[in-house]
Amino acid sequence: MKTESVLEKVFASGELAVTSECGPPRGAAPEKIIEKAKMLQGYVDAVNVTDNQTAMVRMSSFAACVFIKQLGMDPILQMVTRDRNRLAMQADILGAYAHGIDIMLCLSGDHPHFGDHPMAANVHDIDSVQFVQMVRDMRDKGRFQGGDDILNPPKMYIGAAANPFADPFELRVARLAKKIKAGTDFIQTQCIYNLDKFEKWMEGVRDRGLHEKVNIMAGITPMKTVGMARYMKKRVPGMDVPDELINRMAGVPKEKQSDEGIKISIEAIERLKEVEGVKGFHIMAIEWEQKVPEIVEKAGLLPRPKEFS
Amino acid sequence: MENFEPVIVAFCCHYCAYTAADMAGSKRLCYPPNVKIIKVPCSGKVDAIHIMKALEMGADGVYVAGCLDGDCHFKNGNIGAAKRVAYIKKLLDEIGIGGERVEMVLMSAGMGERFAQTATEITEKIRKLGPNPVKSVNKAKTAA
Amino acid sequence: MITAERKPMEELIECLRPYHRILLVGCNECVTVCSAGGRKEVGILSSALQMAFMKEGKTLDVKEITLERQCDPEYVEELVTHIDQAEAVMSMACGCGVQEIAGRFKSKPVFPALNTTFMGASERQGVWVERCQGCGECVLALTGGICPIARCAKQLLNGPCGGSTNGKCEVDPDIDCAWQLIWDRLKALGLEDRYEDNIAAKDWRTGRGGGPRKIIREDLVK
């Protein structure tokens, strides 16, 4: 075992892992994030906390993770390369680990263009692949990126994102290989609606034996309305929403659409359980966290193993 | 404005617009004497600086007359000219002289009527706009 | 070339408001190529400035000079014969030229007529695109001749990111995804295997990160 983290233990046990996500507030009061996390308590093994998502300023992921840790839950510190240089990143990693946070997700981050500070400097001192490598070397070599020894090396369980639906498709397995080479322990994918395409990607992943080198968690986001489905199809880069899904949502009266969306998610989970190499599910229900317990339960993912936390 | 007679400079291409002007002449069509014609081999020869200098030296309006789309003797000189005129119009707006004082017009060699009509219309438009504001400097000088 | 664009007229007129006699200096190199500050542009700007002043009932005397380039002291020195007649200088060169003139003629206010933008190339007539950011350690040999620092919106050295869509960048559908271009080029060269070599974190000291840079050629220094 590389770390003491809950997530590593769940994967090692052979159980399907379950994680979800919380977005910190756009202000300095922690109540909202605590409230959201409490809804997930007992239904997930660990919970991601996003980092200035869509380039909009929010309470830092680090601070929000500390509140979640205080609830007795296991947070996953998401960190983007967009906002910090390698000094700040390593400093935050030391600080987070000191607070008992031992799982993180290394990402590039959405471009400032999309957010509330398009005028800000776009840092990217390092990219997500170099970031993974840096965190791995901090853990396994006990060294900072600059080469000096770390007094008490943080032992982070390292996650990265994968998007089987972004272009170019032919590169998406190779990109995963790069991240694994750099030291990724687990992957959370972009939310999956096109199950055929996902299975095709997994085939490519398995052909190269990559599914045994990294723990892949399938991303699931329930649709609330047909409007949301259409928006995601048209406006969100790197998202693949098949027309059948939109038609299915549209074919149901408005009051019933959210239930249909949840049904679709549960069906997706059931199908993905059968895909070799899928080691868990990452359920992202942004501003709809209250539905996560229902999805986890109906998808047969309860009870969550208690012996690891 | 007391008896303001606008001075209009018209850059006319040899193959079409100037020939149209000739046609207007031979047909005895009237057009205002305010329009001073400058013959150029092609409207594409007219550069931004020529238009600027004309206005700087006190012309109240300038237009560039070239061949109809697709008919330019030099292939696409008229297209280049039109783009330059559009660029200058924006610059003139930026400095407060006004892009309306400059135009691009297209016609064929046989369009004597069109030449006369364009000359008349543009003269009237500029008359309504009033004198080129650069002349204020002369007013200021005489006032001082 | 170094590319630049003329500042808005309002800004330029405001700069020069207190003056009556200026030197307007163009440059025959980069800014001529990108049609921003060459002899032609000097003429047009001179005319525009004079008309703007005349409109206010004032005059502006503009001496127009275009130097071979403004980034070499030998050429800037040519302004010596005209500098005394001018109250101020407006340079139509890139930031380098403006600073050279300001550095040589310390008692004259020197103003930039342009906003210097990037190091780029002509994509086609009238269109210039960013190609290089002067990182000081060129990686073009690794990426099939396409620069990920200058052409990737996130300067990823191990791209593409998850936002690449149809070969375009998530920030602007008119911008090509640099990593799509790199991948296509590596394929065309039969170098697909290179894609999985992870490129290490960049040492920004060779770039701007190390402070303002200097190159000294000992063999050429007098």
PDB file of all heavy atoms in Angstrom, chain C residues 96-115:
ATOM      1  N   CYS C  96      10.356  47.657 -27.942  1.00  0.00           N
ATOM      2  CA  CYS C  96      11.820  47.729 -27.934  1.00  0.00           C
ATOM      3  C   CYS C  96      12.290  49.069 -28.485  1.00  0.00           C
ATOM      4  O   CYS C  96      13.144  49.744 -27.903  1.00  0.00           O
ATOM      5  CB  CYS C  96      12.427  46.621 -28.786  1.00  0.00           C
ATOM      6  SG  CYS C  96      11.766  45.009 -28.431  1.00  0.00           S
ATOM      7  N   GLY C  97      11.733  49.455 -29.630  1.00  0.00           N
ATOM      8  CA  GLY C  97      12.132  50.698 -30.286  1.00  0.00           C
ATOM      9  C   GLY C  97      11.783  51.915 -29.464  1.00  0.00           C
ATOM     10  O   GLY C  97      12.579  52.849 -29.330  1.00  0.00           O
ATOM     11  N   VAL C  98      10.583  51.913 -28.896  1.00  0.00           N
ATOM     12  CA  VAL C  98      10.149  53.050 -28.075  1.00  0.00           C
ATOM     13  C   VAL C  98      11.155  53.267 -26.948  1.00  0.00           C
ATOM     14  O   VAL C  98      11.588  54.385 -26.678  1.00  0.00           O
ATOM     15  CB  VAL C  98       8.755  52.785 -27.473  1.00  0.00           C
ATOM     16  CG1 VAL C  98       8.285  53.972 -26.659  1.00  0.00           C
ATOM     17  CG2 VAL C  98       7.742  52.474 -28.570  1.00  0.00           C
ATOM     18  N   GLN C  99      11.577  52.182 -26.344  1.00  0.00           N
ATOM     19  CA  GLN C  99      12.493  52.288 -25.204  1.00  0.00           C
ATOM     20  C   GLN C  99      13.884  52.737 -25.631  1.00  0.00           C
ATOM     21  O   GLN C  99      14.558  53.463 -24.903  1.00  0.00           O
ATOM     22  CB  GLN C  99      12.570  50.937 -24.476  1.00  0.00           C
ATOM     23  CG  GLN C  99      11.261  50.624 -23.778  1.00  0.00           C
ATOM     24  CD  GLN C  99      11.320  49.361 -22.975  1.00  0.00           C
ATOM     25  OE1 GLN C  99      11.988  49.293 -21.946  1.00  0.00           O
ATOM     26  NE2 GLN C  99      10.627  48.328 -23.450  1.00  0.00           N
ATOM     27  N   GLU C 100      14.306  52.297 -26.808  1.00  0.00           N
ATOM     28  CA  GLU C 100      15.622  52.728 -27.283  1.00  0.00           C
ATOM     29  C   GLU C 100      15.645  54.224 -27.514  1.00  0.00           C
ATOM     30  O   GLU C 100      16.611  54.910 -27.165  1.00  0.00           O
ATOM     31  CB  GLU C 100      16.001  52.004 -28.577  1.00  0.00           C
ATOM     32  CG  GLU C 100      16.383  50.545 -28.373  1.00  0.00           C
ATOM     33  CD  GLU C 100      17.501  50.380 -27.372  1.00  0.00           C
ATOM     34  OE1 GLU C 100      18.618  50.839 -27.646  1.00  0.00           O
ATOM     35  OE2 GLU C 100      17.246  49.808 -26.289  1.00  0.00           O
ATOM     36  N   ILE C 101      14.585  54.746 -28.105  1.00  0.00           N
ATOM     37  CA  ILE C 101      14.524  56.191 -28.347  1.00  0.00           C
ATOM     38  C   ILE C 101      14.456  56.933 -27.018  1.00  0.00           C
ATOM     39  O   ILE C 101      15.177  57.920 -26.794  1.00  0.00           O
ATOM     40  CB  ILE C 101      13.317  56.554 -29.243  1.00  0.00           C
ATOM     41  CG1 ILE C 101      13.480  55.928 -30.625  1.00  0.00           C
ATOM     42  CG2 ILE C 101      13.185  58.067 -29.353  1.00  0.00           C
ATOM     43  CD1 ILE C 101      12.356  56.266 -31.584  1.00  0.00           C
ATOM     44  N   ALA C 102      13.605  56.448 -26.125  1.00  0.00           N
ATOM     45  CA  ALA C 102      13.471  57.097 -24.815  1.00  0.00           C
ATOM     46  C   ALA C 102      14.791  57.073 -24.067  1.00  0.00           C
ATOM     47  O   ALA C 102      15.151  58.025 -23.379  1.00  0.00           O
ATOM     48  CB  ALA C 102      12.378  56.403 -24.004  1.00  0.00           C
ATOM     49  N   GLY C 103      15.524  55.968 -24.209  1.00  0.00           N
ATOM     50  CA  GLY C 103      16.804  55.847 -23.531  1.00  0.00           C
ATOM     51  C   GLY C 103      17.869  56.759 -24.115  1.00  0.00           C
ATOM     52  O   GLY C 103      18.746  57.252 -23.408  1.00  0.00           O
ATOM     53  N   ARG C 104      17.798  57.031 -25.391  1.00  0.00           N
ATOM     54  CA  ARG C 104      18.810  57.876 -26.051  1.00  0.00           C
ATOM     55  C   ARG C 104      18.529  59.352 -25.860  1.00  0.00           C
ATOM     56  O   ARG C 104      19.434  60.153 -25.693  1.00  0.00           O
ATOM     57  CB  ARG C 104      18.862  57.503 -27.540  1.00  0.00           C
ATOM     58  CG  ARG C 104      19.720  58.392 -28.414  1.00  0.00           C
ATOM     59  CD  ARG C 104      21.181  58.368 -28.019  1.00  0.00           C
ATOM     60  NE  ARG C 104      21.955  59.331 -28.804  1.00  0.00           N
ATOM     61  CZ  ARG C 104      22.124  60.606 -28.494  1.00  0.00           C
ATOM     62  NH1 ARG C 104      21.558  61.099 -27.389  1.00  0.00           N
ATOM     63  NH2 ARG C 104      22.849  61.405 -29.257  1.00  0.00           N
ATOM     64  N   PHE C 105      17.229  59.691 -25.878  1.00  0.00           N
ATOM     65  CA  PHE C 105      16.890  61.121 -25.780  1.00  0.00           C
ATOM     66  C   PHE C 105      16.122  61.362 -24.486  1.00  0.00           C
ATOM     67  O   PHE C 105      14.912  61.549 -24.486  1.00  0.00           O
ATOM     68  CB  PHE C 105      16.093  61.553 -27.017  1.00  0.00           C
ATOM     69  CG  PHE C 105      16.856  61.351 -28.292  1.00  0.00           C
ATOM     70  CD1 PHE C 105      16.502  60.357 -29.188  1.00  0.00           C
ATOM     71  CD2 PHE C 105      17.963  62.153 -28.582  1.00  0.00           C
ATOM     72  CE1 PHE C 105      17.224  60.158 -30.361  1.00  0.00           C
ATOM     73  CE2 PHE C 105      18.696  61.956 -29.749  1.00  0.00           C
ATOM     74  CZ  PHE C 105      18.327  60.957 -30.641  1.00  0.00           C
ATOM     75  N   LYS C 106      16.864  61.358 -23.397  1.00  0.00           N
ATOM     76  CA  LYS C 106      16.255  61.326 -22.072  1.00  0.00           C
ATOM     77  C   LYS C 106      15.450  62.572 -21.733  1.00  0.00           C
ATOM     78  O   LYS C 106      14.604  62.532 -20.862  1.00  0.00           O
ATOM     79  CB  LYS C 106      17.329  61.086 -21.006  1.00  0.00           C
ATOM     80  CG  LYS C 106      17.995  59.725 -21.150  1.00  0.00           C
ATOM     81  CD  LYS C 106      18.910  59.444 -19.979  1.00  0.00           C
ATOM     82  CE  LYS C 106      19.462  58.035 -20.001  1.00  0.00           C
ATOM     83  NZ  LYS C 106      20.333  57.761 -21.173  1.00  0.00           N
ATOM     84  N   SER C 107      15.713  63.659 -22.419  1.00  0.00           N
ATOM     85  CA  SER C 107      15.002  64.876 -22.030  1.00  0.00           C
ATOM     86  C   SER C 107      13.719  65.073 -22.829  1.00  0.00           C
ATOM     87  O   SER C 107      13.002  66.049 -22.639  1.00  0.00           O
ATOM     88  CB  SER C 107      15.915  66.089 -22.231  1.00  0.00           C
ATOM     89  OG  SER C 107      16.263  66.145 -23.610  1.00  0.00           O
ATOM     90  N   LYS C 108      13.408  64.142 -23.741  1.00  0.00           N
ATOM     91  CA  LYS C 108      12.175  64.274 -24.515  1.00  0.00           C
ATOM     92  C   LYS C 108      11.166  63.218 -24.091  1.00  0.00           C
ATOM     93  O   LYS C 108      11.538  62.057 -23.946  1.00  0.00           O
ATOM     94  CB  LYS C 108      12.454  64.067 -26.014  1.00  0.00           C
ATOM     95  CG  LYS C 108      13.378  65.070 -26.632  1.00  0.00           C
ATOM     96  CD  LYS C 108      12.707  66.403 -26.880  1.00  0.00           C
ATOM     97  CE  LYS C 108      13.759  67.359 -27.420  1.00  0.00           C
ATOM     98  NZ  LYS C 108      13.372  68.732 -27.443  1.00  0.00           N
ATOM     99  N   PRO C 109       9.923  63.624 -23.921  1.00  0.00           N
ATOM    100  CA  PRO C 109       8.903  62.595 -23.679  1.00  0.00           C
ATOM    101  C   PRO C 109       8.732  61.738 -24.929  1.00  0.00           C
ATOM    102  O   PRO C 109       8.657  62.267 -26.035  1.00  0.00           O
ATOM    103  CB  PRO C 109       7.630  63.392 -23.395  1.00  0.00           C
ATOM    104  CG  PRO C 109       7.944  64.814 -23.585  1.00  0.00           C
ATOM    105  CD  PRO C 109       9.372  64.983 -23.964  1.00  0.00           C
ATOM    106  N   VAL C 110       8.718  60.418 -24.738  1.00  0.00           N
ATOM    107  CA  VAL C 110       8.569  59.495 -25.864  1.00  0.00           C
ATOM    108  C   VAL C 110       7.322  58.651 -25.638  1.00  0.00           C
ATOM    109  O   VAL C 110       7.169  58.042 -24.572  1.00  0.00           O
ATOM    110  CB  VAL C 110       9.808  58.578 -25.995  1.00  0.00           C
ATOM    111  CG1 VAL C 110       9.629  57.607 -27.150  1.00  0.00           C
ATOM    112  CG2 VAL C 110      11.066  59.416 -26.194  1.00  0.00           C
ATOM    113  N   PHE C 111       6.434  58.613 -26.609  1.00  0.00           N
ATOM    114  CA  PHE C 111       5.170  57.880 -26.462  1.00  0.00           C
ATOM    115  C   PHE C 111       5.062  56.748 -27.467  1.00  0.00           C
ATOM    116  O   PHE C 111       5.492  56.885 -28.613  1.00  0.00           O
ATOM    117  CB  PHE C 111       3.983  58.832 -26.675  1.00  0.00           C
ATOM    118  CG  PHE C 111       3.975  59.999 -25.737  1.00  0.00           C
ATOM    119  CD1 PHE C 111       4.291  61.273 -26.189  1.00  0.00           C
ATOM    120  CD2 PHE C 111       3.653  59.831 -24.395  1.00  0.00           C
ATOM    121  CE1 PHE C 111       4.292  62.365 -25.334  1.00  0.00           C
ATOM    122  CE2 PHE C 111       3.662  60.918 -23.532  1.00  0.00           C
ATOM    123  CZ  PHE C 111       3.980  62.187 -23.997  1.00  0.00           C
ATOM    124  N   PRO C 112       4.474  55.626 -27.043  1.00  0.00           N
ATOM    125  CA  PRO C 112       4.257  54.531 -27.991  1.00  0.00           C
ATOM    126  C   PRO C 112       2.965  54.745 -28.769  1.00  0.00           C
ATOM    127  O   PRO C 112       1.945  55.101 -28.187  1.00  0.00           O
ATOM    128  CB  PRO C 112       4.124  53.310 -27.080  1.00  0.00           C
ATOM    129  CG  PRO C 112       3.569  53.847 -25.802  1.00  0.00           C
ATOM    130  CD  PRO C 112       4.007  55.288 -25.688  1.00  0.00           C
ATOM    131  N   ALA C 113       3.025  54.547 -30.084  1.00  0.00           N
ATOM    132  CA  ALA C 113       1.798  54.644 -30.875  1.00  0.00           C
ATOM    133  C   ALA C 113       1.111  53.283 -30.965  1.00  0.00           C
ATOM    134  O   ALA C 113      -0.047  53.185 -31.353  1.00  0.00           O
ATOM    135  CB  ALA C 113       2.114  55.142 -32.284  1.00  0.00           C
ATOM    136  N   LEU C 114       1.851  52.243 -30.624  1.00  0.00           N
ATOM    137  CA  LEU C 114       1.323  50.894 -30.810  1.00  0.00           C
ATOM    138  C   LEU C 114       1.244  50.127 -29.502  1.00  0.00           C
ATOM    139  O   LEU C 114       1.942  50.441 -28.547  1.00  0.00           O
ATOM    140  CB  LEU C 114       2.239  50.092 -31.750  1.00  0.00           C
ATOM    141  CG  LEU C 114       2.647  50.699 -33.073  1.00  0.00           C
ATOM    142  CD1 LEU C 114       3.527  49.711 -33.837  1.00  0.00           C
ATOM    143  CD2 LEU C 114       1.438  51.066 -33.914  1.00  0.00           C
ATOM    144  N   ASN C 115       0.394  49.110 -29.502  1.00  0.00           N
ATOM    145  CA  ASN C 115       0.407  48.097 -28.453  1.00  0.00           C
ATOM    146  C   ASN C 115       1.134  46.900 -29.046  1.00  0.00           C
ATOM    147  O   ASN C 115       0.638  46.290 -30.001  1.00  0.00           O
ATOM    148  CB  ASN C 115      -1.015  47.687 -28.065  1.00  0.00           C
ATOM    149  CG  ASN C 115      -1.708  48.753 -27.259  1.00  0.00           C
ATOM    150  OD1 ASN C 115      -1.096  49.419 -26.426  1.00  0.00           O
ATOM    151  ND2 ASN C 115      -2.994  48.945 -27.499  1.00  0.00           N
TER     152      ASN C 115
END
